[in-house]
Amino acid sequence: MAHVQFRKFSPDLSKTQNSPKYLPPAKSSDGFPRQLPVNVRNAAMAFNDTSHYGLHDVYEWESLIPRGNGWVVLGPGPRSYAVTMYHQLHCLNAMRYDLTQSKIGKAPTQAELGHAHHCYNYIRQGLQCGLDLTLDLSHDGLGNTAHVCRDWAQIRTFMERNYDQHTIYFS
């Protein structure tokens, strides 16, 4: 078993107004944003099996990524940023693709192996960071258990509007 080492993080709790939940500032010390400037609504979702997003459904997987490929332009400068949710979906799609290629006997290149290593760790870290603590009623995690999510349709709308406003940066 691999040893997991966590970095020590000691927020100044005096700035949280006695809140047990600490959120980092919306901007870094150099004035650049740390997250999307969107007040995202919560949404509930029950995880269900679906006929969509199968291993060979390339177009459905690609449809998850908005115009701009998950990149957004923000802040002073301005700068472009990859939005974590879309980076994770990109990685999940890459892992799906790698699995289909291995099933037909295609050996990965060194670059593909490096990308796969990055993606497995990125997805793992995202799951650990997201920490969905919902209790599932069934062993397969499917059914009527409601999970509290963030409204990804609202995020996609923001991303596509941002892309339309900054097409020069995506050329």
Side-chain angles (χ1 to χ4, degrees), residues 47-59:
F47 294 178
N48 294 302
D49 206 0
T50 178
S51 60
H52 298 283
Y53 305 106
L55 283 177
H56 301 286
D57 294 333
V58 175
Y59 295 111

Side-chain angles (χ1 to χ4, degrees), residues 79-152:
R79 283 187 181 174
S80 59
Y81 300 87
V83 176
T84 299
M85 177 181 81
Y86 292 112
H87 189 169
Q88 291 168 335
L89 286 170
H90 156 80
C91 277
L92 196 56
N93 188 32
M95 293 160 58
R96 176 207 58 81
Y97 175 79
D98 291 346
L99 182 60
T100 63
Q101 296 306 292
S102 69
K103 286 184 174 253
I104 62 171
K106 182 182 176 283
T109 65
Q110 283 302 110
E112 290 168 333
L113 286 173
H115 187 237
H117 177 78
H118 156 78
C119 281
Y120 276 96
N121 278 302
Y122 199 74
I123 294 294
R124 175 189 56 78
Q125 292 165 358
L127 289 169
Q128 289 176 305
C129 183
L131 230 31
D132 183 352
L133 299 177
T134 305
L135 301 176
D136 288 318
L137 298 173
S138 62
H139 194 56
D140 61 6
L142 303 176
N144 293 324
T145 304
H147 295 255
V148 178
C149 306
R150 296 171 87 183
D151 186 345
W152 56 89

Side-chain angles (χ1 to χ4, degrees), residues 159-171:
M159 296 290 294
E160 292 195 340
R161 285 183 182 153
N162 181 274
Y163 173 81
D164 291 341
Q165 293 169 358
H166 298 96
T167 54
I168 192 168
Y169 294 99
F170 295 100
S171 302

Side-chain angles (χ1 to χ4, degrees), residues 11-71:
D12 179 356
L13 295 178
S14 66
K15 295 180 181 175
T16 65
Q17 300 169 352
N18 297 321
S19 170
K21 189 184 236 184
Y22 174 78
L23 296 174
K27 293 186 177 184
S28 63
S29 60
D30 62 1
F32 290 97
R34 297 174 61 103
Q35 56 192 347
L36 283 181
V38 180
N39 187 13
V40 183
R41 297 178 297 264
N42 283 340
M45 181 171 72
F47 294 178
N48 294 302
D49 206 0
T50 178
S51 60
H52 298 283
Y53 305 106
L55 283 177
H56 301 286
D57 294 333
V58 175
Y59 295 111
E60 287 188 348
W61 281 96
E62 290 178 352
S63 75
L64 293 171
I65 307 297
R67 293 187 306 275
N69 293 316
W71 285 81

